[in-house]
Amino acid sequence: MIPPLAQRRLEEALGDDVRFGVPLRRYTSLRVGGPADALATPASREALLRLLAVCAATRLPVRVLGAGFNTLVLDEGVEGVVIRLARLRRLEERPAAVRAEAGVSHAQIVRFCLERGLGGLEFGAGIPGTVGGWVAMNAGVPERDTQAALLEVEVATPTGARRRHFRRSELAFRYRALRGLAPGSVILSALFAVHPAAREQIQAQIDRTLARRRDTQPLDVPSCGSVFKNPRGDHAGRLIELAGLKGEREGGAQISCVHANFIVNRGGATARDVLTLIRRARRAVLQRTAIRLETEVRVMGRRR
């Protein structure tokens, strides 16, 4: 629970843009998860900086939730303030570059580039979520990841005191991870390299990317995206299928019959169901292959 004084300060800083005890299942792609003590959706950068200042002053934990992909919110909910950046959606064309705020969706930035004949970000058509999540997770497809197109990242410092810009060379990207930012920093925007390209060429690449997703991923049911990182030289989905768990169920959750590295919500699933399947898959793969799978999905919330 948010202490009364802290709640009052949050309301003074954001007004109706902060709510309390909000169930997060409606804000995650898997459609599971308990309530956030506070859910804040700042309308501007200035509002976000005010929010971070209040959280720092009142020692409230802060978590950022993008579009809710690659995130598993636990049934017990999330302590402190969960920030959604869905209203930070500005897109700007720069010389040989595009600057996108953290709340810009994959569909929005891909469409923006297509309309202007700007190539280089077609791979984003295959990646759900928002720009902030792309950068934080170094999201990508087999041929290309976010860091390959990234020029610069703009962040708010943990206390909201200022904004900083980091060139890609100043950051440490790993497979599905970003290192080098101070804990509690919030990504505000990213600058991506683009180049002139024929719209027909861009559209053709987008179509190929989307077709591959339709053919290989369970897009017709709620999921959190890839659950495990692919181990070097192999694929987590193949290993889980090899262990005989494709289609395995726990409550309302199921290891997808389409792609075994996806856990889907067949109706009424809980985070506990999903965690049970994650543990079961990791244990079975380790026993069968001696490979320890590492989760890609981010687990957020209170633990019993």
Side-chain angles (χ1 to χ4, degrees):
M1 296 291 291
I2 303 292
L5 176 59
Q7 179 170 332
R8 186 159 58 250
R9 293 191 62 178
L10 288 172
E11 291 171 332
E12 289 170 353
L14 267 74
D16 293 338
D17 293 334
V18 60
R19 295 177 292 151
F20 303 93
V22 180
L24 292 179
R25 60 182 177 273
R26 69 187 73 166
Y27 299 107
T28 67
S29 62
L30 192 52
R31 299 294 183 261
V32 303
D37 286 351
L39 178 65
T41 311
S44 66
R45 290 158 173 252
E46 293 71 27
L48 173 62
L49 295 178
R50 290 198 305 271
L51 170 63
L52 292 174
V54 169
C55 292
T58 55
R59 298 187 177 183
L60 290 174
V62 170
R63 301 297 298 268
V64 178
L65 180 67
F69 290 89
N70 289 103
T71 302
L72 174 62
V73 176
L74 298 180
D75 301 316
E76 292 75 20
V78 181
E79 180 182 7
V81 180
V82 174
I83 302 175
R84 296 186 71 238
L85 301 179
R87 297 170 73 180
L88 301 186
R89 295 173 63 88
R90 187 183 310 160
L91 268 169
E92 300 173 340
E93 183 178 353
R94 303 283 182 87
V98 168
R99 180 169 293 282
E101 287 191 319
V104 170
S105 70
H106 68 293
Q108 186 183 357
I109 193 170
V110 169
R111 184 171 59 249
F112 181 90
C113 291
L114 175 62
E115 291 172 349
R116 289 160 178 77
L118 301 172
L121 297 180
E122 297 90 336
F123 75 96
I127 308 171
T130 56
V131 163
W134 282 9
V135 175
M137 296 285 294
N138 190 23
V141 293
E143 301 82 11
R144 190 170 172 84
D145 56 18
T146 299
Q147 68 159 330
L150 190 70
L151 297 173
E152 180 183 276
V153 176
E154 179 191 17
V155 305
T157 58
T159 63
R162 62 191 178 115
R163 293 176 289 175
R164 294 190 61 189
H165 291 80
F166 294 89
R167 295 186 299 274
R168 180 178 61 184
S169 59
E170 298 177 276
L171 300 170
F173 285 94
R174 300 288 185 270
Y175 174 64
R176 300 298 177 261
L178 165 63
R179 302 286 184 266
L181 297 180
S185 299
V186 177
I187 295 170
L188 293 173
S189 71
L191 186 69
F192 295 103
V194 293
H195 57 266
R199 292 184 185 180
E200 296 78 8
Q201 178 183 349
I202 297 172
Q203 186 66 66
Q205 181 58 52
I206 291 171
D207 291 344
R208 286 193 292 271
T209 300
L210 293 178
R212 181 170 58 193
R213 290 192 71 227
R214 287 192 298 269
D215 292 343
T216 61
Q217 298 180 14
L219 302 181
D220 59 337
V221 286
S223 81
C224 59
S226 297
V227 173
F228 297 101
K229 298 178 182 179
N230 287 325
R232 187 181 297 275
D234 212 328
H235 294 87
R238 187 192 78 83
L239 295 172
I240 295 168
E241 185 172 355
L242 181 66
L245 292 183
K246 198 171 189 178
E248 182 85 358
R249 296 192 68 150
E250 178 69 27
Q254 181 184 37
I255 295 176
S256 172
C257 295
V258 177
H259 192 310
N261 198 24
F262 284 68
I263 293 177
V264 299
N265 185 348
R266 287 292 178 188
T270 65
R272 180 184 292 272
D273 295 337
V274 176
L275 283 175
T276 297
L277 288 179
I278 288 174
R279 296 182 183 115
R280 192 176 298 166
R282 181 187 281 126
R283 184 170 56 248
V285 168
L286 181 63
Q287 291 174 347
R288 178 69 183 262
T289 68
I291 295 173
R292 185 179 299 275
L293 293 178
E294 181 182 351
T295 50
E296 179 175 324
V297 64
R298 179 180 60 156
V299 179
M300 178 190 298
R302 296 181 174 90
R303 295 181 182 270
R304 290 176 185 264

